[in-house]
């Protein structure tokens, strides 16, 4: 019964990361579909390598054995913040492009 309780508690911790994971995948796919491949690659590399490794080391030092499972939440959270920053930067560039094209149209008319 001890293994069952351990598994149940571990799954509760680990499953929270799936809430964040979806946003990261969608934002990465969105940026890739708009040919922002560098931004999409940054998100993917951080999800798969950099943020995971960093959060794994830090969370194990802080939380011990449970840090393995908490590191997925931490890494997806860090990547979500990065994804939102990249998305805001893209939106700002899009707004400037739209504003410049509208201003150009007004000047030429």
């Amino acid at each position: 019964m001890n293994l069952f309780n351990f598994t149940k508690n571990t799954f509760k911790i680990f499953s929270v990361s799936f809430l964040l994971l979806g946003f990261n995948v969608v934002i990465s796919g969105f940026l890739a579909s708009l040919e922002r491949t560098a931004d999409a690659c940054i998100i993917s590399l951080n999800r798969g390598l950099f943020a995971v490794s960093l959060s794994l080391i830090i969370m194990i030092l802080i939380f011990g054995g449970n840090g393995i499972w908490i590191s997925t939440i931490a890494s997806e959270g860090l990547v979500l913040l990065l994804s939102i920053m990249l998305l805001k930067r893209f939106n700002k560039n899009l707004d400037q492009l739209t504003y410049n094209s509208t201003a150009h149209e007004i000047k030429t008319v």
Side-chain angles (χ1 to χ4, degrees):
M1 203 53 144
N2 192 19
L3 179 62
F4 177 76
N5 289 333
F6 175 76
T7 305
K8 187 173 79 171
N9 292 333
T10 300
F11 189 70
K12 284 180 184 178
I13 295 169
F14 184 71
S15 63
V16 174
S17 66
F18 288 105
L19 298 172
L20 304 174
L21 179 140
F23 288 108
N24 290 330
V25 170
V26 169
I27 292 171
S28 177
F30 174 72
L31 291 172
S33 70
L34 295 174
E35 297 181 359
R36 302 288 299 212
T37 53
D39 291 344
C41 186
I42 289 170
I43 293 170
S44 295
L45 284 174
N46 275 294
R47 279 195 66 237
L49 183 63
F50 301 124
V52 172
S53 301
L54 180 66
S55 67
L56 185 61
I57 292 167
I58 293 172
M59 293 299 126
I60 287 176
L61 291 174
I62 295 172
F63 296 106
N66 281 337
I68 296 170
W69 310 110
I70 297 171
S71 69
T72 57
I73 300 168
S75 66
E76 290 295 337
L78 287 172
V79 173
L80 182 60
L81 293 174
L82 176 66
S83 298
I84 290 170
M85 284 180 12
L86 293 171
L87 196 59
K88 282 186 177 184
R89 185 179 75 180
F90 170 73
N91 193 26
K92 186 176 106 176
N93 291 342
L94 185 63
D95 286 344
Q96 289 175 350
L97 180 65
T98 304
Y99 177 75
N100 289 339
S101 65
T102 305
H104 181 68
E105 290 172 10
I106 292 171
K107 289 179 183 176
T108 59
V109 171

